[in-house]
């Protein structure tokens, strides 16, 4: 059974930092592209960051470039998102997504940026 | 960026009737290997998105055969035949042919 579980969400002040983690199992993590997709309250879906199988390629949405860093640990089947200089507009549920063509989604981690 | 335009944005449907969602992209979604990188997702109220269809017309395991996808190039359709109460939710098309990968705005399906 595939499981994708995010952790690390919470309330942070503008300008602060947060690190999201994702633990995956039930599929071959080391051969899968992994992504973070976010959904602001009441809004649609937005793909924030992508990382290839061995971590040598990273792709970022322009609005988070220079502030967010995606990384992975294939030995631990884990994905991460380091978020710095957070803004109110980064408030969203962040989903860890893996597998070919966005096959597997986690339950999401809520990040709230507010003073 | 590739813009994904879904229509309609709201879709009231009578139980047992069919529903159809259109998705158009501003660029062709066919990659150099001939794959068309257009996928459909369902998000039921209060739940995470779930993939229904990948590469235009391939239904995921466990997805009822009432769901079907079609289309080519820049023009795609998700059809739901014999709508059931469990189909209520938001439906999104998405392209991962180009970065940034982009989603449509979503279509909210409700029961009349």
């Amino acid at each position: 059974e595939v499981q994708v579980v995010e952790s690390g969400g919470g309330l942070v002040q503008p300008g602060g930092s947060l690190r999201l983690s994702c633990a995956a199992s039930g599929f071959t993590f080391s051969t899968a592209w992994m992504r973070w997709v976010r959904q602001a309250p009441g809004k649609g879906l937005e793909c924030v960051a992508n990382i290839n199988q061995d971590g040598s390629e990273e792709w970022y949405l322009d609005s988070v470039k220079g502030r967010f860093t995606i990384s992975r640990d294939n030995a631990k089947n884990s994905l991460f998102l380091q978020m710095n200089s957070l803004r109110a507009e980064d408030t969203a549920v962040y989903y860890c997504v893996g597998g070919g063509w966005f096959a597997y989604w986690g339950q999401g981690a809520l990040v709230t940026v507010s003073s | 960026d590739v813009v994904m335009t879904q229509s309609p944005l709201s879709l009231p449907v009578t139980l047992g009737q069919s529903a159809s969602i259109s998705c158009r992209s501003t660029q062709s979604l066919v990659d150099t290997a001939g794959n068309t990188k257009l996928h459909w997702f369902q998000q039921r109220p209060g739940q995470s998105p779930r993939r229904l269809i990948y590469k235009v017309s391939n239904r995921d395991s466990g997805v009822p055969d009432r769901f079907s996808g079609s289309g080519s190039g820049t023009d795609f359709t998700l059809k739901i035949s014999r709508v059931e109460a469990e189909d209520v939710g938001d439906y999104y098309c998405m392209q991962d042919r180009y970065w940034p990968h982009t989603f449509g705005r979503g279509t909210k399906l409700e029961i009349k």
Side-chain angles (χ1 to χ4, degrees), chain B residues 41-109:
Chain B
F41 300 85
Q42 176 195 60
Q43 187 174 30
R44 290 171 170 151
Q47 295 187 14
S48 303
R50 159 204 185 196
R51 196 181 69 184
L52 294 175
I53 302 275
Y54 62 97
K55 292 196 295 178
V56 181
S57 59
N58 296 276
R59 202 166 40 244
D60 271 278
S61 173
V63 174
D65 60 8
R66 301 183 291 102
F67 290 85
S68 62
S70 63
S72 62
T74 62
D75 201 347
F76 307 94
T77 302
L78 176 70
K79 183 173 180 183
I80 311 169
S81 57
R82 306 182 305 280
V83 167
E84 299 184 4
E86 66 175 20
D87 300 335
V88 165
D90 296 321
Y91 292 81
Y92 297 91
C93 61
M94 190 217 75
Q95 67 82 21
D96 64 341
R97 171 65 178 92
Y98 302 98
W99 184 260
H101 302 330
T102 46
F103 291 85
R105 288 179 57 191
T107 294
K108 185 175 291 293
L109 186 149

Side-chain angles (χ1 to χ4, degrees), chain A residues 39-110:
Chain A
Q39 186 171 35
K43 301 296 185 183
L45 300 164
E46 187 174 56
C47 191
V48 171
N50 258 13
I51 189 167
N52 73 338
Q53 293 89 339
D54 65 4
S56 60
E57 289 183 44
E58 302 168 24
W59 300 78
Y60 298 96
L61 197 62
D62 280 352
S63 59
V64 308
K65 207 174 290 184
R67 300 188 299 122
F68 289 12
T69 303
I70 188 172
S71 61
R72 64 191 295 162
D73 183 341
N74 284 347
K76 296 182 178 178
N77 287 2
S78 295
L79 180 73
F80 307 98
L81 186 67
Q82 177 67 42
M83 302 183 292
N84 299 330
S85 304
L86 282 161
R87 306 167 181 167
E89 55 264 36
D90 296 319
T91 294
V93 174
Y94 285 74
Y95 296 103
C96 172
V97 185
W101 304 297
F102 290 67
Y104 310 120
W105 294 64
Q107 85 288 350
L110 176 61

